[in-house]
């Protein structure tokens, strides 16, 4: 009872002035934190002459000294690396040098050259089969040799192994599925590496030869491009193993060869080994394995002579003429180009010769042999032609890389002489630079028109042309004519899949160069083609791509939604998952590109429809992450809607949004915040003086929040929104509504669970409840009492709830809350409160320091202190002494800050609390030191001598040590 009758009276203005940091005048002319520092360096010189003393001289350094540089003695480790000697002179490890060399070799062609590795996955995915495959597998078990056998024995064993290969020690595995076949090839690749690492070089060569032979087999012709990819992976591995092996033999006394070594620097052993490999390969009888294995180790010619590669390439090119099957031959040419670009990209003449050879033999594909093969395998001729595409595309890409315009023009002319063969024309458009194609768009359209439709469909040619025009712009005068010519062909396509594959590409061209009118026409045509027989169901990826392109190029949503056919186009997305993905794309684009808030009814109606689609997709199985993403997109839209000063229209929009998005809690939370913000904006416009109309409007806003909050499931979200909305109601002089919010919050506290989910993990709720209640107390200070409810009815109600709440046994949060209540009650006894709400009279004005009011506060205070002291008594056991000490010190600090210690009873309570805190040495030393410092500082102020007496009565700080 002593506490509140003697709560010290506070002059908040004076205290605020005293607590401000002392201002120190600073001359910025002399000092600035970003100005370079001048360091003064002291040097001490010791004199050796007898009788002389040490003299110290100071020299001021005018230049800035970097403390990091001084540690390094002026040497920067990165500079040391940069200034390192020639790699030949430095003894670095073989592996690091080899990695560097590999990197340098690959950089012979620039990053603008699309590597084979990027095409690999696409080929494997596109060229598949359900037919059964067969593979000839050698018996690659190693024969046992006795240790210590002579060299001649080893040679004889190797010759026997090679003879085994020629005599046919293989077995054929039949009826393999495509996946089994691929697994078997991968096993062979691993066997090659294992054989090499265990020094079984002959076995490794046998595996490679065996694999190469598979490339002559075209029994399942649709799978051939994928087979080529798999087998050449093994050949690449073999080529690298051989090259690295010979390279390691060149290193004498651990000094590796330089990057651009000459054959003269290669030792005889390495040269002999290299020649041995070439002789072994030359003895392979069959053409195809001999060609592929030699091409795989083409790079090894660098060890033998400077002109080795340039001499081998033409010979290998000529060897391909001996391959009868045109499909097998074209892939052999593609592999040679691939190896050639890796080891000697400068030797373009051989690549050109390779392609011109192909053009001369191209007519073979119309021969009887090929036609008979297609009949046997039941393969259509247009499908057969597409098998050539990866190989021809790659050959042309290699030729076109950094090629002069003259060469590209010559290529075009050669294709024309072949009667505008569509397959070649398509590959030319795929391989040549987009700028080259775009500049000659009308020429290409002319060539496409002249092509024979039977072999290779024209729509694929227009698709390839469209892909180029998406990357480079054609001449401005030709743009409309190009679109008309292309669309004439595209719109006549009867097959919906062919149609949509072309339309998807040309939509980007249309969006890029034309207005919404042309875009609308194209979208209308797509709807017309894809709606019959629900063809759109098989074309969702392409339709999604079209939407993505349209919103990429038309980022102004008022223009986008004025495109008449845009929303009907969205209606084709009937599958819910796809429809939601498209809606998410549109909303992401809106949030990214919409700079200013909008009230355009066209945009609002369209986006409400899109957001409603996203919202309605939520069900019991929807993941929390997905809900969060959808809510974030809808909230982004809600924040961008503004009707300016038409606040009533704004509130109507929020009401409509609440009814549409009731299943997403984050959206409801956003709407409550938005409505509260609307109420505060109304207050700002009226400068706090509401008219009858604005007062009614603000009450409508408050009512919106009051009926929306209970629909939320998160209890702390509800508590914080009740508090926030009550503060907004109070600021707008809606006192009874504010009381209703605060009462609702008080009634909700008992329902706070012991554990709550935070970021997917269960956490105790005590800390969150403590934080909320402290905020609540701060607001209750300025809430005026209701005339019919009695003094401090909200504070009493909250204290009753806290008293009845079941706290954890090991928790002291209840006492901390009670201590914070004492802070609130102390503030309530002041004549003038520390803060107020504008145009709202708080209890200091209502009661004017009335004795009955102060008496009520005093009674509350007695109850609270009794509760705190009772709790401190329960903590007298050995295991809880530390908690008792901390709480006693916490309560002691409260009496220091808020009580009038001239009162003897309060003074004695403070001393008892201090002594209890220090009794067992558990008190926090830092907190103790700060408390003593505060008492000392206060004792020096006028009329504060009682603090001196208090300090003398306190036990000295105790420590456990």
């Amino acid at each position: 009872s002593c506490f509140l009758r003697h709560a010290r009276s506070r002059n908040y203005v004076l205290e605020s002035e005293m607590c401000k940091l002392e201002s120190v005048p600073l001359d910025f002319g002399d000092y600035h934190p970003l100005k370079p520092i001048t360091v003064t360096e002291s040097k001490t010189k010791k004199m050796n002459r007898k009788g002389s003393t040490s003299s110290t001289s100071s020299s001021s350094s005018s230049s800035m000294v970097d403390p990091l540089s001084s540690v390094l003695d002026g040497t920067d480790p990165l500079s040391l690396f940069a200034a390192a000697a020639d790699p030949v002179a430095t003894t670095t490890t073989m592996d690091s040098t080899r990695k560097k060399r590999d990197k340098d070799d690959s950089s012979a062609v620039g990053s603008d050259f699309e590597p084979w590795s990027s095409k690999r996955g696409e080929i494997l995915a596109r060229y598949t089969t359900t037919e059964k495959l067969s593979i000839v597998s050698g018996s690659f078990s190693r024969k046992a040799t006795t240790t210590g056998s002579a060299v001649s024995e080893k040679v004889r064993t190797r010759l026997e192994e090679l003879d085994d290969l020629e005599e046919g020690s293989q077995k054929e595995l039949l009826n393999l599925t495509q996946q089994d076949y691929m697994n078997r090839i991968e096993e062979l690749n691993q066997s090659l590496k294992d054989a090499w690492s265990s020094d079984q070089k002959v076995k490794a060569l046998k595996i490679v030869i065996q694999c190469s032979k598979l490339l002559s087999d075209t029994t399942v012709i649709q799978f051939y491009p994928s087979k080529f990819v798999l087998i050449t992976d093994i050949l690449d591995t073999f080529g690298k193993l051989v090259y690295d092996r010979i390279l390691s033999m060149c290193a004498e006394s651990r000094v590796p060869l330089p990057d651009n070594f000459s054959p003269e620097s290669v030792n005889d052993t390495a040269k002999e080994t290299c020649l041995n490999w070439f002789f072994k390969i030359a003895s392979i009888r069959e053409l195809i394995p001999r060609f592929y294995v030699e091409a795989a180790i083409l790079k090894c010619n660098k060890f033998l002579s400077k002109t080795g590669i340039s001499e081998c390439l033409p010979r290998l090119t000529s060897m391909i003429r001996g391959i009868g099957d045109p499909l097998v031959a074209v892939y052999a040419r593609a592999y040679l180009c691939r190896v050639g670009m890796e080891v000697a990209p400068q030797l373009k003449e051989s690549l050109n010769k390779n392609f011109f050879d192909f053009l001369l033999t191209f007519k073979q594909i119309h021969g009887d042999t090929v036609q008979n093969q297609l009949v046997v395998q039941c393969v259509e001729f247009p499908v057969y032609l597409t098998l050539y595409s990866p190989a021809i595309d790659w050959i042309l890409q290699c030729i076109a890389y950094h090629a002069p315009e003259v060469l590209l023009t010559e290529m075009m002319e050669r294709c024309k002489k072949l009667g505008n063969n569509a397959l070649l024309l398509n590959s030319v458009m795929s391989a040549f630079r987009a700028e080259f194609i775009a500049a000659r768009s009308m020429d290409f359209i002319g060539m496409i028109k002249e092509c024979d439709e039977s072999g290779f469909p024209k729509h694929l040619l227009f698709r390839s042309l469209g892909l180029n025009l998406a990357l480079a712009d054609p001449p401005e005068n030709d743009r409309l004519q190009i679109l008309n010519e292309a669309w004439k062909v595209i719109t006549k396509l009867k097959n919906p899949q062919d149609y949509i594959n072309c339309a998807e590409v040309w939509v980007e061209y249309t969006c890029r160069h034309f207005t919404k009118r042309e875009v609308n026409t194209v979208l209308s045509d797509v709807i017309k083609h894809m709606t019959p027989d629900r063809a759109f169901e098989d074309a969702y990826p392409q339709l999604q791509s079209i939407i993505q392109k349209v919103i990429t190029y038309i980022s102004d949503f008022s223009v986008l939604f004025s495109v008449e056919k845009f929303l009907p186009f969205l209606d084709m997305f009937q599958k819910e998952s796809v429809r939601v993905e498209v809606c998410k794309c549109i909303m992401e684009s809106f949030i990214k590109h919409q700079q200013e808030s909008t009230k355009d009814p066209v945009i609002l109606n369209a986006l409400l429809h899109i957001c409603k689609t996203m919202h309605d997709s939520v069900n019991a199985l929807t993941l929390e992450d997905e809900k969060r993403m959808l809510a974030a997109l809808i909230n982004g839209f809600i924040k961008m809607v503004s009707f300016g000063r038409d606040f009533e229209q704004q509130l109507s929009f929020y009401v409509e949004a609440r009814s549409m998005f009731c299943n997403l809690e984050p959206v409801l939370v956003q709407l409550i915040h938005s409505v509260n913000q609307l109420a505060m904006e109304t207050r700002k416009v009226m400068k706090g003086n509401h008219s009858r109309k604005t007062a009614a409007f603000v009450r409508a806003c408050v009512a919106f929040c009051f009926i929306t909050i209970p629909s939320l499931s998160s209890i702390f979200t509800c508590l914080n929104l009740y508090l926030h909305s009550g503060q907004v109601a109070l600021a707008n002089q809606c006192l009874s509504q504010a009381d209703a919010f605060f009462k609702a919050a008080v009634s909700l506290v008992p329902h706070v669970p012991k554990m709550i989910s935070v970021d997917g993990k269960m956490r105790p709720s005590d800390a969150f409840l403590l934080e909320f209640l402290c905020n609540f107390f701060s607001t209750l200070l300025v809430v005026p009492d209701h005339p019919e409810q009695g003094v401090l009815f909200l504070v009493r109600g909250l204290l009753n709830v806290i008293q009845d709440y079941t706290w954890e046994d090991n928790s002291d949060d209840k006492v901390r809350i009670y201590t914070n209540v004492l802070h609130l009650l102390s503030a309530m006894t002041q004549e003038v409160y520390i803060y107020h709400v504008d145009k709202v009279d708080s209890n200091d004005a209502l009661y004017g320091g009335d004795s009955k009011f102060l008496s009520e506060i005093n009674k509350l205070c007695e109850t609270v202190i009794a509760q705190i002291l009772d709790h401190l008594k329960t903590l007298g056991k050995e295991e809880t002494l530390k908690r008792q000490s901390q709480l006693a010190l916490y309560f002691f600090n409260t009496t220091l800050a808020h009580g009038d210690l001239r009162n003897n009873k309060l003074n004695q309570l403070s001393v008892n609390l201090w002594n209890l805190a220090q009794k067992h040495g558990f008190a926090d030393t830092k907190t103790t030191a700060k408390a003593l410092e505060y008492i000392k500082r206060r004792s020096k102020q006028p009329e504060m001598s009682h603090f001196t007496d208090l300090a003398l009565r306190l036990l000295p700080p105790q420590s456990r040590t």
Side-chain angles (χ1 to χ4, degrees):
S1 63
C2 55
F3 181 76
L4 259 296
R5 269 184 298 211
H6 297 283
R8 69 186 180 91
S9 58
R10 311 283 290 269
N11 184 334
Y12 291 118
V13 177
L14 184 62
E15 284 185 35
S16 176
E17 288 296 325
M18 289 174 66
C19 291
K20 279 183 180 174
L21 291 172
E22 185 183 351
S23 60
V24 179
L26 188 64
D27 183 2
F28 285 106
D30 296 338
Y31 166 79
H32 189 276
L34 300 180
K35 186 179 176 185
I37 303 165
T38 302
V39 179
T40 304
E41 200 179 343
S42 294
K43 294 178 183 174
T44 304
K45 295 179 184 175
K46 289 199 174 180
M47 315 298 282
N48 291 331
R49 285 177 304 174
K50 189 179 176 184
S52 66
T53 56
S54 301
S55 66
T56 305
S57 66
S58 287
S59 64
S60 181
S61 171
S62 59
S63 62
M64 179 182 167
V65 176
D66 176 8
L68 296 179
S69 299
S70 61
V71 175
L72 297 165
D73 296 327
T75 57
D76 169 15
L78 296 179
S79 304
L80 285 175
F81 281 128
D86 188 274
V88 181
T90 58
T91 55
T92 55
T93 62
M94 284 293 294
D95 286 346
S96 63
T97 309
R98 193 175 298 140
K99 282 177 187 171
K100 182 175 184 297
R101 183 181 292 109
D102 289 345
K103 184 181 173 186
D104 291 342
D105 288 345
S106 66
S107 64
V109 288
S111 57
D112 55 337
F113 182 81
E114 187 183 1
W116 174 259
S117 56
S118 67
K119 297 177 182 293
R120 185 181 176 282
E122 186 186 338
I123 295 170
L124 289 173
R126 183 178 171 190
Y127 298 97
T128 58
T129 183
T130 54
E131 299 284 324
K132 294 298 182 184
L133 301 158
S134 63
I135 186 169
V136 176
S137 174
S139 177
F140 295 127
S141 57
R142 190 178 186 186
K143 295 182 181 177
T145 55
T146 55
T147 53
S149 61
V151 176
S152 59
E153 184 65 30
K154 188 176 179 182
V155 172
R156 191 180 307 115
T157 305
R158 287 192 172 180
L159 289 171
E160 285 172 5
E161 285 180 350
L162 280 172
D163 287 343
D164 280 348
L165 179 66
E166 297 300 332
E167 287 161 15
S169 63
Q170 301 96 29
K171 57 180 178 179
E172 189 172 15
L173 300 177
L174 301 170
N175 295 327
L176 299 176
T177 64
Q178 181 181 319
Q179 190 56 50
D180 293 338
Y181 190 91
M182 292 169 77
N183 292 342
R184 181 64 190 139
I185 295 290
E186 183 52 43
E187 284 171 22
L188 286 171
N189 200 356
Q190 192 57 47
S191 299
L192 168 65
K193 292 174 186 174
D194 293 344
W196 192 272
S197 60
S198 59
D199 205 29
Q200 299 180 61
K201 303 295 187 291
V202 171
K203 178 181 173 182
L205 180 60
K206 285 168 70 177
I207 292 171
V208 175
I209 293 170
Q210 199 63 60
C211 291
S212 304
K213 282 185 176 182
L214 297 174
L215 288 173
S216 60
D217 174 28
T218 57
T219 47
V220 183
I221 206 160
Q222 301 101 307
F223 186 63
Y224 192 84
S226 291
K227 185 200 287 190
F228 171 79
V229 167
L230 297 168
I231 302 296
T232 51
D233 282 350
I234 296 176
L235 288 164
D236 292 343
T237 302
F238 176 72
K240 190 172 186 313
L241 290 171
V242 173
Y243 183 82
D244 289 349
R245 163 80 176 139
I246 298 169
L247 188 66
S248 65
M249 296 171 75
C250 296
E252 293 178 353
S253 66
R254 303 292 295 165
V255 179
L257 284 175
D259 293 335
N260 298 314
F261 64 87
S262 63
E264 289 77 28
S265 57
V266 178
N267 60 44
D268 291 343
T269 310
K271 281 185 178 177
E272 188 178 338
T273 305
C274 186
L275 275 170
N276 189 26
W277 275 110
F278 280 110
F279 290 153
K280 279 179 188 171
I281 292 163
S283 66
I284 299 171
R285 295 174 191 171
E286 293 182 38
L287 171 62
I288 289 176
R290 186 166 73 250
F291 164 79
Y292 272 107
V293 180
E294 184 174 352
I297 67 162
L298 181 66
K299 192 177 180 182
C300 296
N301 279 285
K302 287 170 68 176
F303 298 111
L304 301 175
S305 71
K306 286 183 179 179
T307 57
I309 293 174
S310 58
E311 288 168 1
C312 275
L313 274 173
R315 180 172 56 77
L316 288 170
T317 303
S318 301
M319 277 172 71
I320 298 172
R321 293 176 185 173
I323 299 174
D325 189 311
L327 185 66
V328 177
V330 78
Y331 276 94
R333 295 185 192 283
Y335 186 66
L336 189 59
C337 284
R338 195 171 121 198
V339 175
M341 283 300 281
E342 284 175 17
V343 301
Q346 70 281 5
L347 299 174
K348 280 291 185 69
E349 283 303 314
S350 296
L351 298 182
N352 298 346
K353 181 174 181 284
N354 193 357
F355 182 66
F356 293 142
D357 267 10
F358 164 69
L359 291 181
L360 290 172
T361 57
F362 188 69
K363 55 177 181 261
Q364 282 181 296
I365 66 170
H366 298 288
D368 292 342
T369 311
V370 170
Q371 297 301 327
N372 293 338
Q373 189 182 22
L374 297 183
V375 170
V376 170
Q377 295 196 33
C378 302
V379 175
E380 299 280 330
F381 189 64
V383 173
Y384 174 69
L385 283 181
T386 60
L387 302 177
Y388 283 80
S389 293
I392 301 175
D393 289 354
W394 177 258
I395 295 168
L396 283 169
Q397 182 187 323
C398 296
I399 292 171
Y401 182 64
H402 289 178
E405 295 267 319
V406 182
L407 178 65
L408 301 182
T409 312
E410 184 189 346
M411 292 286 180
M412 273 182 66
E413 293 304 318
R414 294 239 182 176
C415 291
K416 277 184 184 176
K417 286 178 184 173
L418 282 174
N420 280 327
N421 185 280
L423 174 64
L424 284 177
L425 190 56
N426 189 59
S427 292
V428 165
M429 288 191 286
S430 300
F432 284 17
R433 291 190 297 274
E435 294 78 12
F436 178 88
I437 305 293
R440 297 161 178 76
S441 298
M442 291 309 296
D443 291 347
F444 276 97
I445 285 176
M447 291 163 70
I448 292 170
K449 282 180 174 178
E450 292 171 18
C451 278
D452 180 13
E453 184 80 41
S454 62
F456 198 91
K458 281 187 184 176
H459 66 86
L460 291 181
L461 298 174
F462 273 108
R463 186 176 189 279
S464 297
L465 180 60
L467 287 170
N468 281 288
L469 297 180
L471 299 171
D473 298 335
E476 196 166 338
N477 297 334
D478 294 342
R479 286 175 187 174
L480 185 58
Q481 191 181 350
I482 291 168
L483 180 62
N484 288 335
E485 291 288 350
W487 210 261
K488 261 188 238 171
V489 175
I490 295 167
T491 196
K492 287 176 184 172
L493 292 171
K494 296 286 186 281
N495 183 319
Q497 206 59 42
D498 292 343
Y499 171 84
I500 197 65
N501 285 336
C502 283
E504 174 203 352
V505 172
W506 282 88
V507 163
E508 183 165 2
Y509 175 77
T510 311
C511 293
R512 191 175 168 127
H513 298 298
F514 299 98
T515 63
K516 67 175 188 178
R517 181 170 151 268
E518 286 81 7
V519 173
N520 191 57
T521 305
V522 169
L523 292 182
S524 174
D525 196 58
V526 174
I527 294 169
K528 190 174 104 181
H529 276 79
M530 300 309 292
T531 307
D533 302 325
R534 298 177 70 84
F536 52 75
E537 291 183 342
D538 299 320
Y540 284 137
Q542 294 91 331
L543 294 174
Q544 273 181 274
S545 173
I546 289 173
I547 286 285
Q548 189 65 58
K549 286 165 182 171
V550 171
I551 59 178
T552 300
Y553 286 97
I554 308 178
S555 54
D556 183 343
F557 274 69
S558 57
V559 175
L560 180 66
F561 289 124
S562 65
V563 175
E564 190 185 337
K565 294 295 180 182
F566 183 74
L567 290 176
F569 191 91
L570 288 183
D571 291 337
M572 285 197 290
F573 295 99
Q574 304 272 309
K575 188 178 178 184
E576 187 181 59
S577 59
V578 181
R579 191 180 179 84
V580 170
E581 283 302 315
V582 171
C583 291
K584 279 158 67 175
C585 266
I586 294 170
M587 291 311 302
E588 283 167 4
S589 178
F590 175 78
I591 292 166
K592 181 180 177 182
H593 294 111
Q594 188 72 23
Q595 301 296 324
E596 297 174 356
S597 52
T598 181
K599 61 177 181 180
D600 184 331
V602 175
I603 294 179
L604 295 191
N605 288 331
L607 291 183
L608 274 173
H609 170 69
I610 287 167
C611 289
K612 177 72 173 155
T613 302
M614 295 195 302
H615 168 270
D616 291 348
S617 70
V618 174
N619 56 40
L621 300 176
T622 307
L623 297 173
E624 286 302 316
D625 281 350
E626 177 72 5
K627 286 183 187 176
R628 265 197 294 274
M629 183 186 291
L630 295 176
L633 292 172
I634 295 172
N635 285 345
F637 163 59
I638 289 169
K639 289 176 190 174
M640 293 305 298
V641 176
S642 172
F643 291 89
R645 285 290 186 89
D646 191 349
F647 291 165
E648 291 182 347
Q649 183 70 35
Q650 189 84 30
L651 182 59
S652 298
F653 170 76
Y654 291 144
V655 171
E656 185 184 358
R658 180 179 63 186
S659 67
M660 294 176 82
F661 309 126
C662 55
N663 288 335
L664 287 172
E665 282 205 10
V667 178
L668 294 178
V669 172
Q670 177 60 46
L671 287 170
I672 293 166
H673 284 308
S674 297
V675 171
N676 278 330
Q677 187 179 355
L678 190 61
M680 294 307 288
E681 282 178 16
T682 309
R683 177 181 182 275
K684 185 178 177 183
V685 169
M686 300 303 292
K687 297 180 180 172
N689 299 308
H690 284 299
S691 65
R692 184 178 294 178
K693 184 180 179 183
T694 58
F697 174 75
V698 166
R699 283 196 294 274
C701 291
V702 169
F704 175 98
C705 297
F706 192 74
I707 63 174
T708 308
I709 294 172
S711 63
L712 304 175
S713 62
S714 168
I715 198 157
F716 277 102
T717 303
C718 290
L719 285 171
N720 286 311
L721 285 173
Y722 274 134
L723 179 57
H724 181 61
S725 302
Q727 291 165 345
V728 170
L730 200 61
N732 284 285
Q733 300 122 54
C734 302
L735 301 183
S736 59
Q737 285 86 350
D739 279 351
F741 278 116
F742 298 140
K743 280 181 188 173
V746 170
S747 65
L748 200 57
V749 170
H751 302 292
V752 172
K754 295 290 171 286
M755 304 291 285
I756 57 169
S757 176
V758 180
D759 296 331
K761 295 179 181 176
M762 298 307 289
R763 300 278 158 86
S765 62
D766 291 1
F768 297 95
L769 184 57
L770 176 63
E771 182 187 3
F772 166 75
L773 290 172
C774 289
N775 287 339
F776 200 0
F777 296 147
S778 301
T779 303
L780 289 178
L781 175 63
V782 292
V783 177
D785 280 345
H786 194 285
E788 298 173 7
Q789 297 283 354
V791 178
L792 303 180
F793 75 102
L794 281 172
V795 177
R796 289 175 190 279
L798 190 54
L799 282 172
N800 288 335
V801 166
I802 294 167
Q803 175 64 27
D804 296 339
Y805 187 80
T806 309
W807 300 89
E808 293 289 330
D809 292 338
N810 60 348
S811 169
D812 298 318
D813 286 330
K814 184 177 180 179
V815 174
R816 295 183 189 281
I817 290 168
Y818 279 146
T819 311
N820 279 295
V821 171
L822 290 179
H823 301 168
L824 167 66
L825 295 173
S826 171
M828 282 181 162
T829 64
Q830 306 301 320
E831 287 184 22
V832 180
Y833 290 172
I834 187 170
Y835 48 81
H836 295 86
V837 176
D838 191 30
K839 296 184 174 54
V840 174
D841 289 332
S842 297
N843 286 340
D844 58 343
L846 292 180
Y847 292 108
D850 182 73
S851 57
K852 288 182 181 177
F853 174 65
L854 294 177
S855 174
E856 289 295 326
I857 294 176
N858 185 36
K859 287 177 187 173
L860 274 179
C861 181
E862 287 178 8
T863 309
V864 171
I865 289 178
Q867 292 279 348
I868 294 173
L869 295 177
D870 285 347
H871 187 81
L872 284 172
K873 285 177 188 172
T874 64
L875 298 176
K877 298 172 188 171
E878 182 67 34
E879 63 270 15
T880 54
L881 289 176
K882 186 173 183 180
R883 284 166 55 197
Q884 185 189 56
S885 176
Q886 289 171 341
L887 286 178
L889 192 56
Y890 185 58
F891 190 20
F892 170 78
N893 285 334
T894 295
T895 62
L896 277 188
H898 298 281
D900 186 351
L901 296 180
R902 283 174 293 200
N903 176 271
N904 290 333
K905 286 185 179 178
L906 185 58
N907 202 306
Q908 186 57 48
L909 176 63
S910 301
V911 172
N912 291 345
L913 287 169
W914 173 270
N915 292 343
L916 181 62
Q918 301 297 332
K919 190 173 180 181
H920 300 286
F922 282 112
D924 181 61
T925 50
K926 286 185 180 178
T927 309
T928 303
K930 285 180 181 176
L932 292 173
E933 177 62 31
Y934 174 79
I935 294 169
K936 185 179 176 183
R937 194 168 67 248
R938 290 296 301 274
S939 66
K940 292 177 182 176
Q941 294 173 1
E943 300 180 13
M944 292 290 172
S945 58
H946 55 282
F947 273 98
T948 308
D949 298 334
L950 176 68
L952 294 171
R953 296 173 64 197
L954 300 179
L955 283 174
Q958 304 293 314
S959 170
R960 294 290 289 174
T961 55

